């Protein structure tokens, strides 16, 4: 019992830290608004792939020895869903619809991942998670109401395109979160850190394919200062979010059940909002404060739902 509690505590701490680092991703498109989402994705993941390859190089043979075609195929699709495709869609959503709207839609990740995870063998019943999920939906609705009540300066068409991109990012990352968690359990011979670095190498290879279209589609000339800022933004996000954030997330994914993994994504939404307030140099509004309180309460209720109760069946033998 104490071991399980400690395991959950460490997993939650890793999830919070990952959310704090991933929240920075929502600000990156604003910091380098002169560049297209495709350019931002190519730059970020080239940097991610380079750093990952350098860290893996001394141990490449040992790390890849037990990997077969299935593992490499999984890494390819997970890299596309959780990195390349997801970030292009997210950056497009931020630039066209704003941070608040994008945070709203991505904030549904805990709901979608938890619902999918509730079908796993031995998962906490969905009925026990209902209060947590209800608070999550109410919190996200508050953010949505705020976004609708105070729309940005962009056109209605831009807003609709941004909304569609945000829902695309939601679908992409939901699929990634579920399958990445299952592959981490299946590939137990690979450490969470090495799995993340392998994902980085594959993502970097995919980013090489993005370079030419990124330089042609919607590109324009930039001054030296803009390129320096671009390099600093994509490199910083690659190290903070892709290397450190993903490593913490993978560690958490092996410590927590999938239904609780889904709730940890709420911290990304909270930190994205906080960073957005700092960027816009304003205090949160009433609905935004209420939303953050509900999201936090949702996580607490979900954690409580995962505590063993009297009468619960003993875990099945592996």
């Amino acid at each position: 019992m104490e071991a399980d509690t400690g395991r959950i505590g460490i997993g939650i701490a890793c999830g919070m830290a990952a959310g704090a680092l991933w929240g920075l991703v929502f600000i990156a498109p604003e910091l380098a608004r002169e560049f297209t989402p495709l350019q931002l994705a190519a730059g970020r993941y080239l940097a991610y792939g380079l750093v990952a390859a350098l860290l893996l190089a001394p141990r490449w043979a040992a790390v890849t020895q037990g990997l077969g075609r299935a593992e490499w195929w999984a890494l390819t699709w997970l890299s596309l869903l959780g990195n390349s495709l997801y970030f292009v869609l997210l950056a497009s959503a931020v630039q066209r619809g704003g941070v608040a709207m994008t945070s709203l839609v991505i904030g549904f990740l805990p709901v979608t991942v938890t619902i999918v995870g509730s079908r796993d063998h031995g998962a906490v019943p969905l009925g026990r998670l209902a209060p947590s999920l209800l608070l999550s939906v109410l919190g996200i609705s508050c953010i949505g109401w705020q976004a609708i009540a105070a729309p940005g300066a962009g056109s209605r068409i831009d807003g609709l395109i941004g909304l569609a991109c945000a829902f695309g990012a939601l679908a992409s990352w939901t699929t990634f979160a579920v399958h990445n968690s299952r592959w981490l359990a299946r590939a137990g011979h690979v450490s969470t850190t090495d799995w993340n670095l392998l994902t980085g190498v594959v993502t970097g290879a995919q980013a090489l394919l993005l370079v030419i279209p990124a330089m042609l589609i919607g590109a324009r000339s930039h001054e030296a200062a803009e390129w320096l800022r671009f390099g600093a933004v994509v490199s910083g996000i690659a190290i903070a979010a892709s290397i450190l954030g993903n490593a913490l997330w993978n560690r958490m994914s092996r410590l927590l059940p999938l239904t609780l993994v889904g709730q940890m994504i709420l911290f990304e939404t909270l930190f994205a909002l906080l960073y957005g307030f700092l960027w816009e140099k304003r205090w949160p509004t009433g609905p935004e404060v209420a939303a953050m309180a509900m999201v936090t309460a949702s996580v607490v209720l979900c954690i409580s739902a995962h505590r063993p109760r009297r009468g619960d069946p003993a875990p099945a033998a592996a």
Side-chain angles (χ1 to χ4, degrees):
M1 184 79 67
E2 292 181 0
D4 288 342
T5 302
R7 181 186 180 92
I8 289 177
I10 295 173
I12 291 171
C14 290
M16 291 178 65
L21 293 171
W22 281 351
L24 296 170
V25 172
F26 288 77
I27 303 299
E30 293 290 350
L31 293 173
R33 176 168 278 276
E34 302 87 354
F35 296 86
T36 67
L38 204 57
Q39 289 174 328
L40 289 169
R44 172 187 175 182
Y45 292 124
L46 280 174
Y48 178 25
L50 178 60
V51 174
L54 290 174
L55 291 175
L56 272 179
R59 302 179 296 111
W60 179 260
V63 172
T64 59
Q65 185 176 11
L67 299 181
R69 180 180 298 180
E71 285 80 7
W72 284 112
W73 183 249
L75 285 166
T76 299
W77 279 104
L78 289 173
S79 298
L80 178 65
L81 292 170
N83 291 322
S84 306
L85 177 61
Y86 170 73
F87 187 66
V88 169
L89 291 170
L90 183 141
S92 300
V94 169
Q95 290 187 348
R96 289 180 177 270
V99 175
M101 184 278 295
T102 306
S103 299
L104 156 69
V105 177
I106 300 302
F108 277 106
L109 275 169
V111 179
T112 55
V113 174
T114 299
I115 290 174
V116 174
S118 67
R119 300 176 61 186
D120 281 5
H121 176 72
V124 173
L126 192 59
R128 193 185 294 183
L129 296 169
S132 174
L133 293 175
L134 177 60
L135 276 175
S136 175
V137 172
L138 288 175
I140 293 167
S141 298
C142 285
I143 302 171
W145 181 87
Q146 174 70 20
I148 294 171
S155 69
R156 183 176 296 274
I157 293 178
D158 270 350
L160 291 174
I161 294 174
L163 186 64
C165 289
F167 274 107
L170 172 67
S172 181
W173 217 91
T174 297
T175 307
F176 164 79
V178 171
H179 288 282
N180 186 61
S181 181
R182 291 171 178 169
W183 266 102
L184 282 168
R186 180 175 176 179
H189 59 286
V190 182
S191 71
T192 55
T193 299
D194 287 342
W195 185 262
N196 177 42
L197 294 177
L198 288 167
T199 303
V201 171
V202 175
T203 304
Q206 292 175 356
L208 288 173
L209 302 177
L210 291 178
V211 172
I212 294 178
M215 293 298 106
L216 296 177
I217 302 175
R220 63 179 181 83
S221 60
H222 298 283
E223 298 179 356
E226 291 177 334
W227 279 113
L228 286 174
R229 185 167 67 254
F230 171 82
V233 169
V234 297
S235 298
I237 292 298
I239 294 172
S242 297
I243 297 294
L244 298 177
N246 288 4
L248 287 164
W249 181 265
N250 285 343
R251 173 64 174 160
M252 179 213 64
S253 294
R254 278 189 173 164
L255 293 171
L256 301 179
L258 186 54
T259 47
L260 189 51
V261 165
Q263 294 297 307
M264 293 299 100
I265 305 170
L266 288 171
F267 286 110
E268 179 186 18
T269 301
L270 284 175
F271 280 105
L273 288 169
L274 290 174
Y275 298 151
F277 300 149
L278 291 173
W279 173 254
E280 296 174 2
K281 298 179 181 179
R282 66 177 178 88
W283 291 98
T285 64
E288 289 166 341
V289 171
M292 289 187 286
M294 289 180 185
V295 165
T296 303
S298 172
V299 174
V300 172
L301 284 175
C302 187
I303 293 170
S304 176
H306 282 81
R307 291 175 180 167
R309 301 182 181 181
R310 289 184 178 180
D312 282 352

